[in-house]
Amino acid sequence: MNIAQYIDHTILNADATQSDIRKVCEEAKEYGFYSVCVNSSHVDFVAKQLKGSNVKIAVVVGFPLGAASIETKGFETKDAVSKGANEIDMVINIGALKSRNENFVQKDIAAVVKAAGKDVIVKVIIETALLNDEEKILACKIAKAAGAHYVKTSTGFSTGGATVEDIKLMRETVGPNIGVKASGGIRDFQKAKAMIDAGATRLGASASVNIAKGIESEDNGY
């Protein structure tokens, strides 16, 4: 298993410096990670760092709360794509989902899919730690109906991250033709492989080098 090709090497913390982001880009090229995942303000810089490589650029939208307006998410998506983003990881409007405003949630996702264009992958972060199983299933069904390419567990900035149980539930809900991304709290090879075995087709991680090296983390918490 070439686990590196499952990984979106991620740096989303607010205090990330240009030097930090450059290091992440260099690691992505060295280890062959699938993409580098950053906030939208860094797209130009990352595009320059990754020029000539096979590493993709993933950009988060509506991050981390998902509570921006539909129009704002659409604009952020267009801007990121125009600057080189190959993939968009958007956060759903969690409050709207929990209010059962299914039409709004679908419009929110569909607006990002439309703004991204036909050649850009859209992943929908449903923030599983804030949802019960019924809400997780509903979110996955809405994302699929809206034309998203992936459903994703977590931002990594909430109360919990990816679990094997959630990956199994999400995979069962969306079926075999939609991607499932496990993100949040994945710090070693063993946990990463467990997510893939459960049905994940992509992983979001900042501990990507440890995962690629097969290092086992001593930290069992989120």
Side-chain angles (χ1 to χ4, degrees):
M1 175 189 292
N2 180 14
I3 202 162
Q5 267 295 294
Y6 284 85
I7 297 174
D8 293 339
H9 194 24
T10 303
I11 181 164
L12 297 170
N13 48 304
D15 59 348
T17 65
Q18 197 167 79
S19 177
D20 295 331
I21 294 165
R22 182 183 292 110
K23 180 183 178 185
V24 164
C25 291
E26 290 303 315
E27 289 171 343
K29 289 187 285 186
E30 178 181 354
Y31 289 93
F33 298 132
Y34 189 87
S35 80
V36 167
C37 185
V38 294
N39 286 293
S40 57
S41 61
H42 302 304
V43 183
D44 284 330
F45 180 73
V46 170
K48 291 175 184 175
Q49 299 301 307
L50 296 178
K51 187 175 181 180
S53 77
N54 293 322
V55 181
K56 305 295 185 185
I57 303 170
V59 176
V60 292
V61 163
F63 194 86
L65 301 179
S69 70
I70 292 174
E71 293 80 9
T72 300
K73 290 179 182 177
F75 179 85
E76 188 177 13
T77 299
K78 283 184 179 178
D79 182 61
V81 171
S82 74
K83 292 174 179 174
N86 308 111
E87 303 193 345
I88 299 293
D89 288 31
M90 69 159 292
V91 187
I92 64 163
N93 191 306
I94 300 159
L97 179 78
K98 294 183 80 70
S99 299
R100 295 298 195 272
N101 193 342
E102 298 174 32
N103 184 56
F104 182 94
V105 176
Q106 185 164 332
K107 284 175 64 178
D108 189 47
I109 299 168
V112 170
V113 172
K114 181 178 179 181
K118 62 182 179 65
D119 296 324
V120 175
I121 297 295
V122 174
K123 310 187 202 91
V124 176
I125 306 170
I126 67 172
E127 202 68 282
T128 49
L130 302 181
L131 307 179
N132 60 37
D133 283 356
E134 182 182 350
E135 291 164 339
K136 293 167 193 174
I137 291 168
L138 180 61
C140 288
K141 288 181 176 179
I142 293 172
K144 185 175 181 180
H149 306 93
Y150 275 77
V151 288
K152 175 179 170 181
T153 58
S154 321
T155 61
F157 285 75
S158 188
T159 57
T163 67
V164 165
E165 292 75 20
D166 282 340
I167 294 300
K168 287 180 178 177
L169 180 64
M170 293 164 72
R171 172 54 68 201
E172 181 181 338
T173 302
V174 300
N177 299 321
I178 300 291
V180 176
K181 179 175 173 179
S183 183
I186 304 171
R187 298 192 178 95
D188 59 43
F189 178 86
Q190 287 73 18
K191 190 164 187 179
K193 187 175 184 301
M195 297 297 171
I196 294 168
D197 290 344
T201 47
R202 195 81 66 86
L203 307 171
S206 56
S208 314
V209 173
N210 281 355
I211 294 169
K213 288 182 175 179
I215 295 172
E216 185 170 359
S217 173
E218 295 180 359
D219 179 5
N220 294 320
Y222 169 63

